[in-house]
Amino acid sequence: MNKKKFEMMLLKNTLAYTVPALLVFCVLLFMFIKYPVFEQVECVKIGNIENVAQKLETLYKTDARNVKYVAKNLNYTGFDYYVDGKIKGAYYYVFNGNKIIMFLVKTEKPVMFIDEVVLKGRIIKDSISTEHIIKQFLDTKQIDEGLLESYCTEYVLSELDYPYAYIIMIWVCFIVPIIACVLIILYTIVIFFNPMYHSQAKQIEEYGEINEEIREIDNQLYNRLLFKKDSIYVTDDYMIVNYLTKTDVIKLDDIKYMSKNEIQIGRFFKKKMVYRLTLSDPERLFYEVDFESENAIDAVVDSIRGVDTEENNK
């Protein structure tokens, strides 16, 4: 497909964003393949199975530790979890076959019994807490001593340890950029076939129908070009300034005043003198563009005024 000159300018502006986005996309995709990022944020749903304790142990060993589980008939152990002297959670247990499963439920006011609750937590290995709680059960005769031999799980499903902050960080640092990169790439494909949808093309909508204006600008760039130097083009009716990430279009009829000033730009040790051309109309236009050469700015001004000079024809 042969693209017109102005359309190619718009496409190059878009590619200035797309190429870095594509590189970022490839790097992030490589990281997802190379490192088990998703395994750290995946939430496994546990249904009604007979051996929940064994399931928790298996998931823990395979690093799939975020779990969603509908727990029923939870009994309060009498032990709470404190942070800075305040209750943030409580330990509950439930019998599953011949096993006792411990849960650390997020609550500030523990109750003695929970009929049913959807727990979204992380499997942690906490043999110290579980053994201490079981020992207290034995001392107070809350469970039969024979259950101690069958009690083998040291894995606790903890609501307090569910990594909400980590998951948000993954979305912000990895998934959101990937989505953004994909959208930019899709946008570039759309722009390639339909330049009228380019955000930069919207600026010429005030001059007329976008497709017609694009065709007219292209026609003048090929057949009625008065001046071209670096990224600046002047035709019979337009001035086009093509930067790396944007392309500005100014209709010459809108220019009422022009002024040239020598100014210093840059900071610290990289200051330099440039010539700034200001194009304006009190009602609808104010535009500035810088030139390193005074001859170049003079040639642009002459072209806008319709003066044919030797510099214009180079």
Side-chain angles (χ1 to χ4, degrees), residues 43-49 52 56 67-74 94-96 101 103 105 114-121 157 159:
C43 189
V44 180
K45 294 182 180 179
I46 299 179
N48 295 322
I49 59 177
V52 177
L56 293 178
V67 171
K68 185 176 182 180
Y69 175 62
V70 179
K72 299 180 179 179
N73 303 320
L74 272 66
V94 66
F95 288 101
N96 180 249
I101 305 173
F103 301 94
V105 179
I114 301 176
D115 290 327
E116 183 175 316
V117 62
V118 178
L119 294 177
K120 198 172 185 180
L157 183 56
E159 277 192 306

Side-chain angles (χ1 to χ4, degrees), residues 64-278:
R65 300 181 186 180
N66 298 326
V67 171
K68 185 176 182 180
Y69 175 62
V70 179
K72 299 180 179 179
N73 303 320
L74 272 66
N75 298 279
Y76 179 45
T77 63
F79 292 89
D80 302 320
Y81 187 91
Y82 289 84
V83 176
D84 296 329
K86 297 181 180 180
I87 295 177
K88 295 297 181 181
Y91 287 93
Y92 286 80
Y93 70 94
V94 66
F95 288 101
N96 180 249
N98 62 344
K99 299 290 191 298
I100 298 175
I101 305 173
M102 292 288 180
F103 301 94
L104 180 52
V105 179
K106 186 177 181 179
T107 179
E108 295 181 356
K109 296 180 179 180
V111 296
M112 296 303 298
F113 183 80
I114 301 176
D115 290 327
E116 183 175 316
V117 62
V118 178
L119 294 177
K120 198 172 185 180
R122 185 168 178 82
I123 306 170
I124 62 173
K125 195 173 183 180
D126 188 4
S127 57
I128 295 177
S129 297
T130 54
E131 289 176 4
H132 177 70
I133 292 172
I134 292 298
K135 184 178 184 302
Q136 294 299 314
F137 282 171
L138 291 174
D139 292 343
T140 57
K141 306 298 182 182
Q142 292 185 51
I143 62 173
D144 188 90
E145 188 171 357
L147 287 173
L148 185 60
E149 294 181 0
S150 62
Y151 175 79
C152 61
T153 182
E154 55 186 347
Y155 302 98
V156 179
L157 183 56
S158 171
E159 277 192 306
L160 295 177
D161 288 283
Y162 191 79
Y164 288 102
Y166 180 78
I167 292 173
I168 292 173
M169 183 189 71
I170 291 296
W171 274 95
V172 172
C173 296
F174 294 94
I175 299 177
V176 171
I178 282 183
I179 294 174
C181 291
V182 170
L183 292 177
I184 291 174
I185 294 169
L186 292 176
Y187 175 71
T188 304
I189 295 173
V190 171
I191 294 306
F192 183 82
F193 293 101
N194 298 281
M196 65 173 293
Y197 295 117
H198 198 291
S199 59
Q200 299 285 343
K202 297 296 182 181
Q203 64 182 305
I204 63 177
E205 191 173 18
E206 62 179 298
Y207 302 143
E209 201 276 325
I210 294 179
N211 274 335
E212 292 182 3
E213 288 296 324
I214 290 177
R215 284 194 292 269
E216 180 59 25
I217 292 172
D218 277 325
N219 176 58
Q220 294 201 17
L221 285 171
Y222 278 105
N223 303 312
R224 297 156 64 186
L225 184 64
L226 303 178
F227 174 87
K228 177 188 179 302
K229 185 172 180 62
D230 299 330
S231 61
I232 299 175
Y233 304 77
V234 180
T235 70
D236 282 350
D237 298 314
Y238 301 94
M239 175 178 174
I240 299 101
V241 183
N242 179 225
Y243 296 105
L244 176 63
T245 59
K246 69 172 184 174
T247 297
D248 296 325
V249 178
I250 302 98
K251 204 157 189 176
L252 301 188
D253 288 345
D254 290 342
I255 301 173
K256 302 303 180 184
Y257 304 100
M258 291 188 291
S259 64
K260 179 181 74 173
N261 296 286
E262 187 176 8
I263 64 169
Q264 187 178 60
I265 62 172
R267 295 181 179 180
F268 305 111
F269 301 105
K270 296 184 179 180
K271 295 181 179 180
K272 64 177 181 179
M273 301 300 297
V274 297
Y275 298 91
R276 175 163 294 175
L277 175 63
T278 302

